[in-house]
């Protein structure tokens, strides 16, 4: 098997059979001609492969799916219109009324919303086992164990090998959201996890210009997912977006190295700065998940969170003072982004949930882009200096 960087470029890519176009074109079509009555019948009977309808499969989308499957070490992958569509597709395919879904988070807010506000309406019970010992993860009705690592926004690290082992021993499906790490840094299937998923919107696309999701796993599970979670639920990736994702994945290894370089420089600077109370970056020796992260990640990723000593007001001054970091949600873009969870994404949550998630008033989340780490460090330094000059801090 070829190495990761080579597979990111080549897997799935092949000259277009009709024109020889070197890069797979955008197959912008909703439907595909069978060619003949008999071929149509054979395709519908599953006796002959072929594309039928873009909601179920499309050649441009397929290149992206094949790349992700290869990079995650999976037999197959299924792409969706968004990360949330991928997670909903998983739930509709593999859960039924009476099942329990157990998660180790805190999870991305949208995912917790889907689980705790939407899935429970379908008779699925949901349990947060983030702080429970592994002996308590699985109950009699548990059907799926769902983990996100590193978590959002405080970069908590969960033990993928333990999740994979416990789930297998108890005959439960395990799922890992690998959006923050990407397959370049962590391959959850190597730790015994059954299915891995991404908000492709983030690092896989990498350029902040498309929304998408993808799930990878065994051929059997992906066939079931394509039938129920994609064909029946209908959240299919568009061929145009698939083109951007297949292009994005080709440079994933190069971008991730640059993201990690920048994040390491930023985390190091922050950890020495007097205006900063705490830095959350799994690459720092003082991070509580550092040793675990070193076992399951090749490097520590591009996400860094910091808590400012001056609290809410210092966060405001710091964020308004940043010049290279854009204040916006999302992450994983080549451009650096910054958010203040307490006043934006987590604004509506009650205090006990904020405390559980580690969202303090002075917490800022940085998605470190691929700019020169020296420029990023300078930008952070000058914005921190503003918080020290500000009378409120
Ligand atoms: C870790 C994680 N998973 C899933 C999602 C949902 O993905 P999307 O926004 O593509 O629907 C996000 C979005 O921010 C995320 O950060």
């Amino acid at each position: 098997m070829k190495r990761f960087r080579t597979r990111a470029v080549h897997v799935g890519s092949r000259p277009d059979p009709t024109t020889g176009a070197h890069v797979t074109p955008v197959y912008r079509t909703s439907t595909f001609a069978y060619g003949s009555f008999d071929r149509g019948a054979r395709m519908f009977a599953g006796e002959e492969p072929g594309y039928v309808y873009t909601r179920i499969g499309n050649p441009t989308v397929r290149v992206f799916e094949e790349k992700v499957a290869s990079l995650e070490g999976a037999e197959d992958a299924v792409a969706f219109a968004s990360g949330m569509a991928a997670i909903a597709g998983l739930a509709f395919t593999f859960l039924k009324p009476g099942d329990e879904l157990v998660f180790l988070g805190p999870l991305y807010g949208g995912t917790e919303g889907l689980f705790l506000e939407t899935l429970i309406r379908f008779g699925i019970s949901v349990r947060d086992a983030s702080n429970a010992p592994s002996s308590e993860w699985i109950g009699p009705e548990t059907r799926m164990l769902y983990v996100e690592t590193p978590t959002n926004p405080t970069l908590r690290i969960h033990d993928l090998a333990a999740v994979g082992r416990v789930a297998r021993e108890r005959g439960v499906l395990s799922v890992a959201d690998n959006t923050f790490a990407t397959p370049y840094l962590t391959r959850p299937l190597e730790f015994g996890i059954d299915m891995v998923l991404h908000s492709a919107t983030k690092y896989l696309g990498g350029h902040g210009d498309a929304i998408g999701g993808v799930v990878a796993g065994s051929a059997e599970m992906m066939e079931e997912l394509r039938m129920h979670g994609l064909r029946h639920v209908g959240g299919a990736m568009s061929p145009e977006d698939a083109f951007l994702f297949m292009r994005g994945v080709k440079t994933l290894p190069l971008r991730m190295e640059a993201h990690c370089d920048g994040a390491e420089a930023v985390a190091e600077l922050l950890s020495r700065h007097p205006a900063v109370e705490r830095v959350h970056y799994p690459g720092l020796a003082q991070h509580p998940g550092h040793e675990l992260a070193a076992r399951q990640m090749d490097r520590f990723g591009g996400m860094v969170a910091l808590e400012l000593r001056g609290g809410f007001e210092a966060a405001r001054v710091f964020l308004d003072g940043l010049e290279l970091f854009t204040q916006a949600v999302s992450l994983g873009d080549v451009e650096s982004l910054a958010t203040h969870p307490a006043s934006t994404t987590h604004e509506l949550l009650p205090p006990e949930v904020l405390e559980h998630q580690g969202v303090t008033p002075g917490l800022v989340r940085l998605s470190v882009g691929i700019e020169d780490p020296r420029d990023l460090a300078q930008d952070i330094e000058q914005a921190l200096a503003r918080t020290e000059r500000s009378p409120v801090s």
Side-chain angles (χ1 to χ4, degrees), residues 145-223:
L145 184 55
Y146 186 102
V147 60
E148 192 176 298
T149 183
T151 66
N152 183 12
T154 55
L155 300 146
R156 184 168 167 185
I157 306 291
H158 289 289
D159 187 340
L160 289 172
V163 172
R165 190 182 60 248
V166 169
R168 271 178 199 215
E169 278 168 11
R170 305 288 296 271
V172 161
L173 284 173
S174 57
V175 176
D177 183 332
N178 199 26
T179 301
F180 270 41
T182 81
Y184 187 63
L185 302 178
T186 303
R187 289 151 307 279
L189 271 49
E190 289 175 1
F191 295 92
I193 302 286
D194 291 316
M195 286 178 279
V196 56
L197 78 94
H198 290 269
S199 166
T201 315
K202 312 299 185 321
Y203 290 105
L204 298 186
H207 294 73
D209 49 14
I211 299 275
V214 64
V215 182
S218 71
E220 197 184 333
M221 285 178 195
M222 293 305 102
E223 197 181 319

Side-chain angles (χ1 to χ4, degrees), residues 84-168:
M84 289 311 299
I87 303 166
L90 268 173
F92 274 106
T93 305
F94 296 105
L95 297 174
K96 60 180 190 326
D99 286 347
E100 183 187 54
L101 165 63
V102 175
F103 72 84
L104 307 180
L107 305 176
Y108 164 63
T111 310
E112 284 204 8
L114 168 68
F115 289 176
L116 294 163
E117 292 164 31
T118 308
L119 288 189
I120 57 163
R121 293 204 232 152
F122 294 85
I124 293 159
S125 56
V126 179
R127 181 161 56 89
D128 177 356
S130 306
N131 297 320
S134 59
S135 57
E136 289 172 17
W137 288 347
I138 312 288
E141 308 304 333
T142 310
R143 170 74 181 135
M144 184 184 282
L145 184 55
Y146 186 102
V147 60
E148 192 176 298
T149 183
T151 66
N152 183 12
T154 55
L155 300 146
R156 184 168 167 185
I157 306 291
H158 289 289
D159 187 340
L160 289 172
V163 172
R165 190 182 60 248
V166 169
R168 271 178 199 215

